[in-house]
Amino acid sequence: MQNRWNPSEAPAREDLLAQRVYSSRLVGADPDLVSHGGGNTSVKITESDFFGTSTDVLYVKGSGWDLATIEKEGFAPVRMDVLLKLGELETLGDAEMVKQQRAGMLDPGAPNPSIEAILHAIIPFKFVDHTHADAAVALTNTPDGEKRARELYGDRVLYVPYVMPGFVLAKAVAAAAEACDWSKLEGMVLMNHGIFSWADDAKTSYDRMVSLVSEAEAALEREKAQAAVMVEKLPELQDEDYLKLAEIRKAVSEKAEAAMIVQWNQSEEAVGFAGREDAAAISRRGPLTPDHVIRTKRVAAIFDERSGAETAGEFERDYDAYFAENRTEGLEKLDTAPRWAVWKDRGILTFGKSLKDSRTIGDLCAHTARAIQWAEALGGWSPLPAKEIFDIEYWELEQAKLKKGASAKPLQGKVAVITGGAAGIGLACAESLYQAGACVAVMDLNPEIEETFAAEDRLGIQLDLTNDEAVKAAIQRVVAQFGGIDILVSNAGIFTAGAYLEDMEARNWEKSLAVNLTSHQRLLQYIIPFLKQGIGPSAMLIGSRNVAAPGAGAAAYSCPKAAQTQLTRVAALELAPHGVRVNIIHPDAVFDTKLWTPEALQRSAERYGMTIEEYKTRNLMKTEITSWDVGRAVVAFAGDTFAKTTGAQIPVDGGNDRVI
């Protein structure tokens, strides 16, 4: 394990809190030690309180902070005397512990102290580090894990059998340490849970953590455990693989009662794990460390040749049995959807109510799959029993954290495809859907689209919608990245040069038909199978006021737009039995697009004998229509408000007397 300490970057030794921040970030920077909010660190400092009284304070990592990015504000300052008195109690309920720890804080505006604050307080060293290092936990998740740990570390560390985190763990450590000489201990191994290191300076505590974990890694290497991690390449994917993924996502989302984003780990390690003959057995024994259960649930789902719906149902039945066997009075069952799955020969899938959640779970499961294989090579993967994991999953403190989560956005977890999204109405629709919580895949002929939407939950694809193979590949790329498609905004269009019928060039007519009509039909043809597997699926085509009120000289534009409207109506009839809504929005006089330069706007206004402002508001409501007005309409029709509306034509035009 790499030691990341850099003397030229480390703060001055006398600034204890700054040193604590620095070394905590070093710990958090290594995913083999902690990941996504895991682990705890602390430092004991003597300082003056508000009244100038010298006070011993424990600065411990606060709830909700990640060690990789923690700042000074991320540490909760708690009076040491309060924590030590709490540690002397015979019993202490979890809720009361949290309440009393908060009451003992010097700064009421700081985050809640870690549930391990009492434990950190009773350890008689200034700096304490706690991680869930993969190598150390893998060693202890074996039938003879404690024996292996003792052979490795000897008398340098304290060994504590697994108990629930918080007050119970603090009491167990205090009892185990009664016969020990703290000065001779470098750290502590919590069986099936994690590892501690400590010292009176930040560097030594960090060095000890790196050393202890490196020794565990060396032990794995001696046993050739690391070589047991299987590696395989993903086989060539077929069209049905993408549809299968969308089916799996739909089945899981229905069990979760929420749209789920899927991350598909296609790495050689993930595919190798999914290809193991014993993958189903070893992935259904339990998590790497009990803390993970809050995000990953206890076990994985298994997807093979059977349908995703059947397998999600099997997971639900297993979860129901697990809950019935371990429940206590008053507990309300969580959703029965898996959070990760082994997809036979295809890799690892993870499911989250947002892309961030799914990626976090994906990272945890990648580490879990590797550690499982290490442990198997050491004699067998033997995590904690189901009852111990259940107690963490349904722990009142963890449940309280979940309930405090931010309220979901209206389209949270949905996946939207928008065409013609580089500018104007398409761009406004994409941004509006994104702001409403959807992951967006935006397609356009303009190559700048890829840079504009280059982010984890924003995908830009340069695409010619008249190229069938390119359209098919683009849709499959979206499904592979997010798991499925729920929303379509078919917006791509062009306005060819105006001409009366007798003067019209055949090339302009054909080009307009190809882009304004045929490309929409071809897009629907390729995307409908995925919309049928969508969550509250909705397709919206962007039409034009010209459908109801055409103008002379605009046949090349108006005719395909009218046919596009008819296409929408037919699609609504065909897809209603599958729960897919199809509507069309008819904007008019949307001038904040690249089509309307100041010069073009000026010429049009003069042609009608109007000022530019009069021309922009020449509707019944005398209001300007913007791309964002269309974007808001799209969000509304994609959401629950219009969940029972299909086949509708929606004007966004401020009212037009010719249409009305």
Side-chain angles (χ1 to χ4, degrees), residues 96-390:
E96 189 64 31
M97 179 186 71
V98 171
K99 178 181 177 181
Q100 293 304 323
Q101 285 183 172
R102 185 146 194 89
M105 291 172 58
L106 264 65
D107 179 4
N112 276 335
S114 163
I115 58 172
E116 307 292 10
I118 297 174
L119 173 56
H120 282 245
I122 66 175
I123 296 173
F125 293 90
K126 284 188 181 297
F127 289 86
V128 178
D129 293 61
H130 171 209
T131 76
H132 303 139
D134 292 350
V137 179
L139 280 176
T140 62
N141 275 320
T142 57
D144 55 352
E146 185 172 347
K147 179 174 178 283
R148 287 181 178 276
R150 288 184 180 275
E151 289 175 349
L152 183 62
Y153 298 124
D155 296 332
R156 291 178 293 142
V157 304
L158 184 65
Y159 303 91
V160 180
Y162 176 79
V163 293
M164 281 281 289
F167 180 75
V168 178
L169 176 58
K171 296 296 285 186
V173 171
E178 285 180 354
C180 296
D181 182 350
W182 282 100
S183 66
K184 295 180 180 179
L185 296 175
E186 299 176 8
M188 173 171 60
V189 171
L190 301 179
M191 301 304 298
N192 308 95
H193 185 175
I195 189 166
F196 276 71
S197 65
W198 47 63
D200 282 328
D201 67 277
K203 184 178 186 304
T204 302
S205 184
Y206 173 72
D207 288 346
R208 285 176 172 175
M209 178 61 71
V210 172
S211 177
L212 291 170
V213 176
S214 295
E215 290 178 65
E217 291 177 337
L220 293 173
E221 190 171 347
R222 286 193 298 273
E223 300 264 4
K224 296 183 171 49
Q226 292 166 322
V229 176
M230 293 189 65
V231 175
E232 295 287 347
K233 289 186 176 180
L234 183 72
E236 185 175 349
L237 297 176
Q238 305 299 315
D239 292 351
E240 54 265 28
D241 290 319
Y242 298 98
L243 190 57
K244 174 72 172 180
L245 178 59
E247 292 172 356
I248 290 171
R249 172 179 177 256
K250 182 176 184 179
V252 171
S253 296
E254 288 174 347
K255 300 302 179 188
E257 298 182 349
M260 304 290 270
I261 298 296
V262 183
Q263 286 295 281
W264 182 4
N265 186 343
Q266 304 177 24
S267 69
E268 292 184 354
E269 271 197 26
V271 175
F273 183 76
R276 289 180 62 118
E277 291 300 319
D278 60 353
I282 59 180
S283 63
R284 294 183 61 78
R285 292 181 192 164
L288 179 60
T289 180
D291 299 55
H292 288 181
V293 72
I294 302 300
R295 293 185 183 274
T296 67
K297 290 196 178 285
R298 189 177 73 90
V299 299
I302 309 299
F303 295 103
D304 51 28
E305 291 75 21
R306 295 165 295 180
S307 75
E310 290 177 357
T311 308
E314 290 168 6
F315 184 92
E316 180 181 40
R317 288 189 290 274
D318 290 345
Y319 191 90
D320 285 343
Y322 158 73
F323 181 80
E325 183 177 347
N326 297 288
R327 67 175 299 181
T328 56
E329 192 66 31
L331 285 182
E332 183 177 347
K333 185 169 61 178
L334 300 173
D335 72 72
T336 58
R339 291 304 187 268
W340 73 292
V342 177
W343 191 6
K344 183 66 175 176
D345 297 323
R346 293 294 187 270
I348 293 174
L349 305 177
T350 54
F351 313 95
K353 295 181 180 179
S354 69
L355 184 66
K356 180 181 178 182
D357 286 347
S358 187
R359 285 187 180 276
T360 296
I361 296 167
D363 287 345
L364 296 177
C365 292
H367 285 268
T368 297
R370 191 178 306 141
I372 284 175
Q373 294 175 92
W374 293 345
E376 275 293 287
L378 295 176
W381 170 244
S382 302
L384 289 167
K387 174 61 173 143
E388 305 285 3
I389 302 302
F390 182 89

Side-chain angles (χ1 to χ4, degrees), residues 22-46:
Y22 174 71
S23 62
S24 296
R25 287 186 167 194
L26 298 184
V27 170
D30 196 327
D32 291 336
L33 287 176
V34 297
S35 56
H36 302 287
N40 283 299
T41 59
S42 67
V43 61
K44 300 176 180 74
I45 301 175
T46 301

Side-chain angles (χ1 to χ4, degrees), residues 56-60 76-83 100-106 113 117:
D56 291 332
V57 181
L58 177 78
Y59 278 86
V60 65
V78 193
R79 296 177 186 272
M80 279 287 293
D81 59 346
V82 171
L83 294 172
Q100 293 304 323
Q101 285 183 172
R102 185 146 194 89
M105 291 172 58
L106 264 65

